[in-house]
Amino acid sequence: MAATLLPTLSPPVSRAAAAFLLLRGAPAKPFSCLRPPPTLRRFLASASSSSPATLSPALRPLSTVASSSTAARAVPARRDLLMLGIETSCDDTAAAVVRGDGEILSQVVSSQADLLARYGGVAPKMAEEAHALVIDQVVQKALDDAKLSGSDLSAVAVTVGPGLSLCLRVGVHKARQVAKSFGLPIVGVHHMEAHALVSRLVNKDLDFPFLALLISGGHNLLVLAHSLGQYVQLGTTIDDAIGEAYDKTARWLGLDMRKGGGPALEELALDGDPDAVKFRVPMRQHKDCNFSYAGLKTQVRLAIESMNLSTDDIPILSASEEDRQSRANIAASFQRVAVLHLEERCQRAVEWALKIEPSIKYFVVSGGVASNKYVRSRLNQVADYNGLQLVSPPPSLCTDNGVMIAWTGIEHFVVGRFEDPPAADEPDDMQYELRPRWPLGEEYSEGRSVARSLKTARVHPSLTSMIQGSLQK
Ligand code: KG4
Ligand code: ZN
C-alpha cells in the first residue's frame, strides 16, 4: 500500500479561511493511492463565521469530519501555532520548532560533512543510513530545546521533495510517526519553496510578489513568486548548479571538505587574485535566464592541469607557499566568474519579472550558496541598481535547516493546506509516494505571455491551473 504525502503546491485558499477549527480524533480513514490533493485535506468551518463563502466548492469543509462525537480543539491564533519541521532531503538531518509568528524555538542540524569529505560527495545509501542513525535524536532535541512535547505541537511539516528518495523517506517516516503518535496533521513541503519562503520569516514586510534566486548544491532557480504556492520559473540550470561547481572546485584544489566545499573555497578566494586566471563567463550568447556551470568546471580542471598543481595528492595544508597562492588565484578567479554569471542572469530576470509584475519590491537570495559573503554583496548591487531590496536569510537559514520547513509548513497550514493525521493502524513499513523530482513553478520565456507559456508547458497540472487562476484575478 502506498500513501501519498501531499505536496503543498495546491489551489489557493483565501486567508479569510485561515481561522478554522481543527477537529482531532475523527474516525481514522485509510489513505488511498494518488487521490487529488483537495480531497485529502480536511477543511473545517471558520471558528467565528458560519459562512465559509470564500472557499471554492472543492475546498469546503468536509461535513463528515465535523461530527459532534469527535474531540474538537480550536486551533490557537496564528502566533500560537507550533510547527515541527523535519528536513532530510540531502546530507543534513535537521529539525526545528517554529511558532506561527516566526519565533524560532529550536533549531537542530546534524551534518554529514565527514562522510562527504571521505566519499567525495553524497552517496545515497550511506546518507540514508546516516539520517536513520540520528533522526530520532535530532527530532527529540528539537522538542527538548523548545521545551515542548509532541502533544504541544499543532502539526508536523516535512520535506517531500525534491531530493534523494532514500533520504527523503527517513524524514517522512519520522514525521508520520510523530504525527500518528499525537494525532497531528502533516504538511508536505517543497524543499526549494522552503528556501524561498524562509525569507518571509526573516523579513516580515516581505510580501508577494517577489523575485527569488535559489542557489544550492542541486538547484539554480530564478522564480517569480506570485503568491503562496504560485511560482513562475524564469530560469534554471541546464546542467550543474553553482553549489556543485563550488564543491568540485574545492575538492580539486585540495581543500578541507569537512567544513564544506563552498565555505572552504570562499575562504581561500580571499587570498587570491580574481583576475589571475581568465575564465569565460558561461552562456553570454543565450539571452535568457538559464544557468550553466559544467563548462566552468571544465575550465577550472584544465587550469589546474596546465599549472601543474598536484592538488589530488597534496592537500592545501601541506602545499608550498607558491602552490597555495596559485590555488588561491584559481579559487578567486572561479568565484568571480561563477558569481558574475549569477549577476548577469539576475539582471535579466529582474527585467523580466518587472514586466510581468511591476509591483515587485524585493529580491530574495537564498539556498546554501547564498551564505557566501561575496555572492551576497554582488547580488546586493544588482538589487540596488534596480531599486529592489535584497532579502537574504542569515547563513544558518540559507543552508539546509528545519526552520525553513517548519515555517513553510506554517504558511501552508494557516491557509488550510495540510493532510490528515496518519491512521492509527497505518503500518510502520508503509511506502510513501515522495516527489524526488518536483519542479518549482512553471517555465517562462521572454516574448511569450505567462498564460501562454503555461498552456504549453509540461508541468504539474494543478500548478498550471493555479497560476492561470491567479493571472485571471
Ligand atoms: O541548500 P544547501 O544547504 O543544500 C542543498 O539543498 O543542496 O546548499 C548546499 C550547497 C553546497 O554546494 C555548499 O558547498 C554550498 O551550498 N555552500 C556554499 C557556501 N556555504 C554553502 N557555497 C559557497 N560559499 C559558501 N559560503
Ligand atoms: Zn537546500
Side-chain angles (χ1 to χ4, degrees), residues 87 89-92 116 162 191-192 195 215-219 241-248 250 257 259-267 334-335 366-375 395 397-401 404:
E87 155 63 39
S89 67
C90 190
D91 55 337
D92 289 319
L116 280 180
H191 181 86
M192 299 311 290
H195 272 307
I215 35 181
S216 67
H219 291 86
I242 185 171
E244 151 74 14
Y246 264 90
D247 292 340
K248 274 282 158 38
M257 299 297 285
K259 50 177 116 166
L265 192 131
E266 178 182 14
E267 196 182 319
F334 158 79
Q335 178 162 261
S366 187
V369 182
S371 42
N372 180 298
K373 289 199 187 70
Y374 180 73
V375 170
L397 297 183
C398 275
T399 48
D400 288 352
N401 63 86
M404 69 184 196

Side-chain angles (χ1 to χ4, degrees), residues 29 77 91 151 161 207 223 235 281 317 430 450:
K29 288 177 288 169
D91 55 337
S151 58
D207 247 324
V223 293
V281 183
L317 283 174
M430 170 81 91
V450 175

Side-chain angles (χ1 to χ4, degrees), residues 319-348:
S320 67
E321 189 42 47
E322 191 190 346
D323 188 320
R324 187 181 184 283
Q325 188 56 52
S326 301
R327 297 189 203 197
N329 288 345
I330 292 175
S333 303
F334 158 79
Q335 178 162 261
R336 191 185 73 82
V337 170
V339 178
L340 192 50
H341 185 36
L342 290 183
E343 291 169 53
E344 291 180 358
R345 314 317 270 187
C346 287
Q347 177 55 40
R348 181 170 293 118

Side-chain angles (χ1 to χ4, degrees), residues 19-69:
F20 52 83
L21 283 174
L22 173 65
L23 302 180
R24 297 269 188 83
K29 288 177 288 169
F31 282 97
S32 69
C33 200
L34 294 173
R35 271 189 291 168
T39 59
L40 272 174
R41 306 220 165 89
R42 187 181 289 175
F43 291 102
L44 301 165
S46 159
S48 52
S49 150
S50 60
S51 96
T54 48
L55 295 177
S56 76
L59 301 180
R60 289 238 173 81
L62 302 177
S63 55
T64 51
V65 172
S67 117
S68 57
S69 63

Side-chain angles (χ1 to χ4, degrees), residues 185-457:
I186 305 181
V187 189
V189 171
H190 189 297
H191 181 86
M192 299 311 290
E193 185 189 28
H195 272 307
L197 292 188
V198 74
S199 54
R200 280 163 51 83
L201 176 155
V202 171
N203 184 330
K204 298 286 181 339
D205 295 332
L206 173 54
D207 247 324
F208 294 103
F210 60 84
L211 175 65
L213 170 71
L214 309 174
I215 35 181
S216 67
H219 291 86
N220 242 79
L221 286 175
L222 268 164
V223 293
L224 169 53
H226 273 287
S227 59
L228 185 63
Q230 302 181 341
Y231 309 99
V232 172
Q233 193 186 104
L234 302 178
T236 184
T237 181
I238 61 166
D239 42 52
D240 295 329
I242 185 171
E244 151 74 14
Y246 264 90
D247 292 340
K248 274 282 158 38
T249 302
R251 175 168 307 283
W252 290 335
L253 291 176
L255 307 191
D256 181 356
M257 299 297 285
R258 280 172 306 182
K259 50 177 116 166
L265 192 131
E266 178 182 14
E267 196 182 319
L268 180 64
L270 292 174
D271 300 333
D273 171 3
D275 296 315
V277 188
K278 304 289 178 220
F279 293 127
R280 275 184 319 282
V281 183
M283 291 188 81
R284 278 201 159 144
Q285 69 282 20
H286 295 272
K287 306 294 179 206
D288 58 27
C289 296
N290 287 332
F291 302 88
S292 165
Y293 282 95
L296 182 56
K297 270 168 49 183
T298 306
Q299 292 183 66
V300 168
R301 182 81 228 172
L302 293 173
I304 292 172
E305 282 167 15
S306 73
M307 289 160 92
N308 281 329
L309 299 173
S310 45
T311 53
D312 286 343
D313 327 325
I314 306 176
I316 194 149
L317 283 174
S318 342
S320 67
E321 189 42 47
E322 191 190 346
D323 188 320
R324 187 181 184 283
Q325 188 56 52
S326 301
R327 297 189 203 197
N329 288 345
I330 292 175
S333 303
F334 158 79
Q335 178 162 261
R336 191 185 73 82
V337 170
V339 178
L340 192 50
H341 185 36
L342 290 183
E343 291 169 53
E344 291 180 358
R345 314 317 270 187
C346 287
Q347 177 55 40
R348 181 170 293 118
V350 170
E351 289 161 17
W352 285 13
L354 287 172
K355 262 193 229 163
I356 305 169
E357 283 279 11
S359 62
I360 287 175
K361 294 190 181 55
Y362 293 96
F363 178 30
V364 165
V365 180
S366 187
V369 182
S371 42
N372 180 298
K373 289 199 187 70
Y374 180 73
V375 170
R376 293 162 91 99
S377 94
R378 298 294 300 197
L379 293 174
N380 196 25
Q381 287 180 28
V382 174
D384 268 359
Y385 177 80
N386 291 285
L388 300 179
Q389 186 182 330
L390 184 89
V391 180
S392 202
S396 65
L397 297 183
C398 275
T399 48
D400 288 352
N401 63 86
V403 172
M404 69 184 196
I405 306 304
W407 174 254
T408 303
I410 290 167
E411 292 250 34
H412 284 279
F413 186 78
V414 297
V415 294
R417 295 178 193 148
F418 53 81
E419 186 185 339
D420 290 348
D425 58 355
E426 178 175 295
D428 229 32
D429 58 353
M430 170 81 91
Q431 292 297 305
Y432 317 108
E433 194 198 317
L434 304 165
R435 310 209 55 185
R437 288 174 216 285
W438 183 7
L440 179 65
E442 194 46 83
E443 282 171 41
Y444 170 81
S445 52
E446 201 187 27
R448 302 157 80 197
S449 74
V450 175
R452 241 188 88 209
S453 75
L454 290 178
K455 265 186 209 144
T456 53

